[in-house]
Amino acid sequence: MRIPLSIPHMSGNEISYIEEALSSNWVAPLGPNVDEMERLARLYTGSKAALATNSGTAAIHLSLAALDIGIGDIVFCQSFTFAASANPILYQGAVPVFIDSEPETWNMSPQALSRALEKAARKKTLPKAIIVVHLYGQCAKMDELMALADQYDIPLIEDAAESLGSTYKGKPSGTMGKAGIFSFNGNKIITTSGGGMLISDDEAFIEKARKLSTQAKEVAPYYLHNRVGFNYRMSNVAAGVGIAQFEVLKNRIQKKT
Ligand SMILES: Cc1ncc(COP(=O)(O)O)c(C=O)c1O
């Protein structure tokens, strides 16, 4: 018998939000549904700021770009993960260094991270960021990992693509590091058909990422761009699917626990 890892389940209300988006002509990658998705993400996680994106990969990429990670910079990344955790490091021309997992959570080993940081400090090759993944909904050992990130003053990004709804010592996944990302791909606990979210308590950081997600367009009466930007915003139609899915998130979590 085949047991699917994760299949999409519609709540039934998606169609009404999609119809509303189409009939009101809000079909662009902005609009009331996108705003509502960001509000729901803030409400659900308790994070101060949220940015809806067109994929979880885009959210990871924006987090690195907003940290000004560039060519030749080193980023530590969990080795046991989906390739999308690491690909954005290469988009920025940075260098991924993979840190092994530990057997209890299957996520980044605090001991391996500690050893890698000590070695990097000696060689003066400390990373500009650390990407920890909460794989299959299982949170990494965040107390130990955050203590190391704080000790070396390195921003930690939580790839919570697979863990919306999980908590670590009562804290929602994605809320413990500098920033967290979720994926709303079709194989996640809730979906927008394709989409993601970047969250952080640092509102300025999210506003910087928001600007980068809209081609880094400056505020000017003409097209002015001072750095490379991306087209990474969530569509208002896709966000309609997401709102209806958020309505059943608690129920989905209960079914999984
Ligand atoms: C651990 C992990 N990181 C990142 C991603 C990327 O998310 P997306 O497919 O929305 O780009 C996924 C899922 O696909 C994932 O499982």
Side-chain angles (χ1 to χ4, degrees):
M1 193 183 75
R2 211 180 154 93
I3 303 174
L5 176 68
S6 189
I7 48 168
H9 296 83
M10 293 300 105
S11 74
N13 293 336
E14 288 80 3
I15 198 74
S16 63
Y17 291 106
I18 294 173
E19 259 167 17
E20 169 68 19
L22 297 184
S23 60
S24 60
N25 218 15
W26 275 111
V27 294
L30 81 169
N33 288 346
V34 178
D35 294 345
E36 179 62 2
M37 274 299 278
E38 291 179 350
R39 191 188 70 82
L40 289 169
R42 288 195 305 272
L43 190 73
Y44 188 78
T45 60
S47 264
K48 284 198 183 135
L51 170 69
T53 57
N54 54 15
S55 72
T57 312
I60 298 172
H61 191 193
L62 286 170
S63 72
L64 298 179
L67 287 170
D68 294 319
I69 286 164
I71 294 169
D73 288 336
I74 291 167
V75 178
F76 281 6
C77 181
Q78 186 163 315
S79 62
F80 182 47
T81 186
F82 183 54
S85 306
N87 278 335
I89 302 170
L90 296 168
Y91 301 165
Q92 287 303 99
V95 181
V97 171
F98 291 101
I99 308 296
D100 214 345
S101 284
E102 43 82 18
E104 246 177 278
T105 70
W106 298 7
N107 294 313
M108 191 180 283
S109 155
Q111 284 75 22
L113 178 63
S114 174
R115 280 196 300 272
L117 286 169
E118 272 170 35
K119 194 170 155 194
R122 274 198 306 275
K123 289 167 65 187
K124 298 201 182 330
T125 54
L126 278 168
K128 275 246 189 125
I130 301 167
I131 300 177
V132 167
V133 189
H134 305 302
L135 213 58
Y136 299 117
Q138 172 67 55
C139 286
K141 295 186 172 176
M142 286 305 287
D143 280 352
E144 292 94 322
L145 296 169
M146 279 308 300
L148 287 163
D150 289 343
Q151 183 188 333
Y152 287 88
D153 197 21
I154 299 166
L156 186 150
I157 308 291
E158 291 175 71
D159 178 346
E162 300 181 6
S163 65
L164 179 64
S166 298
T167 54
Y168 173 84
K169 299 187 179 173
K171 290 177 230 153
S173 72
T175 62
M176 293 161 271
K178 167 80 186 171
I181 76 97
F182 299 113
S183 165
F184 301 121
N185 204 323
N187 62 355
K188 298 301 184 284
I189 188 161
I190 59 169
T191 185
T192 55
S193 99
M197 190 71 69
L198 177 64
I199 59 164
S200 176
D201 275 342
D202 182 343
E203 288 161 287
F205 176 79
I206 292 292
E207 283 322 299
K208 186 172 177 186
R210 190 181 301 282
K211 183 170 166 187
L212 290 170
S213 75
T214 48
Q215 310 286 12
K217 197 162 107 39
E218 298 293 332
V219 182
Y222 46 87
Y223 286 127
L224 177 65
H225 307 266
N226 291 328
R227 64 176 285 185
V228 172
F230 313 96
N231 181 8
Y232 275 168
R233 292 288 277 144
M234 182 182 282
S235 132
N236 195 59
V237 180
V241 178
I243 295 170
Q245 291 270 296
F246 253 113
E247 289 169 3
V248 291
L249 176 58
K250 283 210 172 111
N251 172 273
R252 298 279 148 78
I253 295 163
Q254 264 162 13
K255 285 203 168 143
K256 279 185 186 266
T257 49

